[in-house]
Amino acid sequence: MSAAIAVLISGRGRNLQAIARACADGRVDGRIVVVVSNRVEADGLRYARQQGIETTVLSHRDYPDRESYDRALMAVLDRHAPDVVALAGFMRILTPPFVAHYRGRLLNIHPSLLPRHPGLDTHRRALVAGDVEHGATVHFVTEQLDGGPAIIQGKLNVHAQDTEATLAERVMNEIELKIYPQALAWLARGDVALDDGAVRFRGRHLDAPLGLDALEAAFR
Ligand code: GAR
């Protein structure tokens, strides 16, 4: 049975598009059962609707606190019985009950080489820090913000002429749009799992995230 994937967005939805394409062409043995956005103006919603994917807007402004928002979000998601919940530019911190509820099936993509630069403005911070390498990471979500066990991490060299915008663009196109569909393909296939707080990949625990060299040909 193909995996039921729920995708959570707040913005443009380029990762959502890459995931949707990978499901449509069979690289991910899954289907997107719902896209939820906390922002009504998120461009990714329009894309999802064009594709005939069910969408829900759940504005955080309609809830008094994180706990009540996350309870409502869980109720929406669970109506679709997701096997996987993929955070794809969902710009909200999730409460521990939410994270616990989806443990092992909750993934996030973060635009940095975690554990470097958790949080916001990662590209600017990489430039300010003079990092020679930068990238993006797909990880299981745990209670620790941007801190869960990493599955795959793609790196690129920072160029002397890079700006925040060029770096963001290269990280998106060269890394994010490849590693997220790949990680989801592995999860849907059962190649990867969260096991005792660590990532198990094809039967062994990873002591470091996989890299771009682990991408299968279809995801390069
Ligand atoms: C992506 O770069 C993603 O890694 C980042 O937001 C962007 C969403 O773009 N996520 C975070 O910063 C999470 N802390 P998209 O909506 O076009 O996929």
Side-chain angles (χ1 to χ4, degrees), residues 11-16 88-89 91 108-111 119 146 172 176:
R12 285 175 64 180
R14 289 161 294 177
N15 279 290
L16 162 67
M91 304 306 274
N108 182 44
I109 186 156
H110 183 76
D146 296 328
M172 176 61 68
E176 294 195 49

Side-chain angles (χ1 to χ4, degrees), residues 8-18 42-44 87-92 108-112 117-123 135-137 139 145-146 168 171-172 176-177 180:
L8 273 51
I9 64 168
S10 300
R12 285 175 64 180
R14 289 161 294 177
N15 279 290
L16 162 67
Q17 293 190 34
D43 283 337
L87 307 178
F90 187 63
M91 304 306 274
R92 287 192 52 86
N108 182 44
I109 186 156
H110 183 76
S112 81
H117 310 308
L120 299 175
D121 300 323
T122 56
H123 308 300
T137 307
H139 65 94
L145 178 67
D146 296 328
V171 168
M172 176 61 68
E176 294 195 49
L177 301 183
Y180 215 173

Side-chain angles (χ1 to χ4, degrees), residues 30-219:
R31 59 197 193 286
I32 300 179
V33 290
V34 67
V35 170
V36 182
S37 173
N38 65 314
R39 294 178 60 230
V40 67
E41 67 278 17
D43 283 337
L45 286 170
R46 199 168 341 133
Y47 169 81
R49 289 180 190 130
Q50 280 163 2
Q51 299 300 308
I53 299 170
E54 187 169 335
T55 61
T56 300
V57 176
L58 204 62
S59 174
H60 50 278
R61 300 217 175 87
D62 296 338
Y63 296 84
D65 50 35
R66 281 190 194 282
E67 287 69 23
S68 56
Y69 181 83
D70 282 7
R71 273 197 300 274
L73 183 55
M74 276 191 259
V76 167
L77 292 173
D78 286 348
R79 278 205 287 279
H80 299 273
D83 299 305
V84 180
V85 176
L87 307 178
F90 187 63
M91 304 306 274
R92 287 192 52 86
I93 294 169
L94 296 161
T95 57
F98 184 97
V99 172
H101 185 65
Y102 297 106
R103 184 179 308 283
R105 50 191 176 125
L106 183 57
L107 294 189
N108 182 44
I109 186 156
H110 183 76
S112 81
L113 299 176
L114 291 172
R116 273 186 88 67
H117 310 308
L120 299 175
D121 300 323
T122 56
H123 308 300
R124 184 167 57 73
R125 284 158 61 208
L127 288 172
V128 168
D131 293 356
V132 295
E133 286 184 324
H134 185 48
T137 307
V138 176
H139 65 94
F140 283 107
V141 176
T142 61
E143 280 78 3
Q144 199 193 348
L145 178 67
D146 296 328
I151 299 168
I152 182 167
Q153 183 165 79
K155 292 182 187 174
L156 51 68
N157 294 321
V158 178
H159 298 157
Q161 65 274 23
D162 264 322
T163 63
E164 193 177 341
T166 62
L167 199 51
E169 199 65 18
R170 292 201 298 120
V171 168
M172 176 61 68
N173 292 326
E174 295 172 29
I175 298 173
E176 294 195 49
L177 301 183
K178 300 177 181 181
I179 64 175
Y180 215 173
Q182 174 72 84
L184 287 165
W186 286 330
L187 190 64
R189 240 188 254 157
D191 278 344
V192 76
L194 181 66
D195 179 22
D196 206 11
V199 175
R200 184 164 43 74
F201 182 72
R202 295 181 183 153
R204 67 181 176 91
H205 275 159
L206 296 182
D207 40 27
L210 298 162
L212 290 177
D213 56 345
L215 289 176
E216 294 162 2
F219 294 91

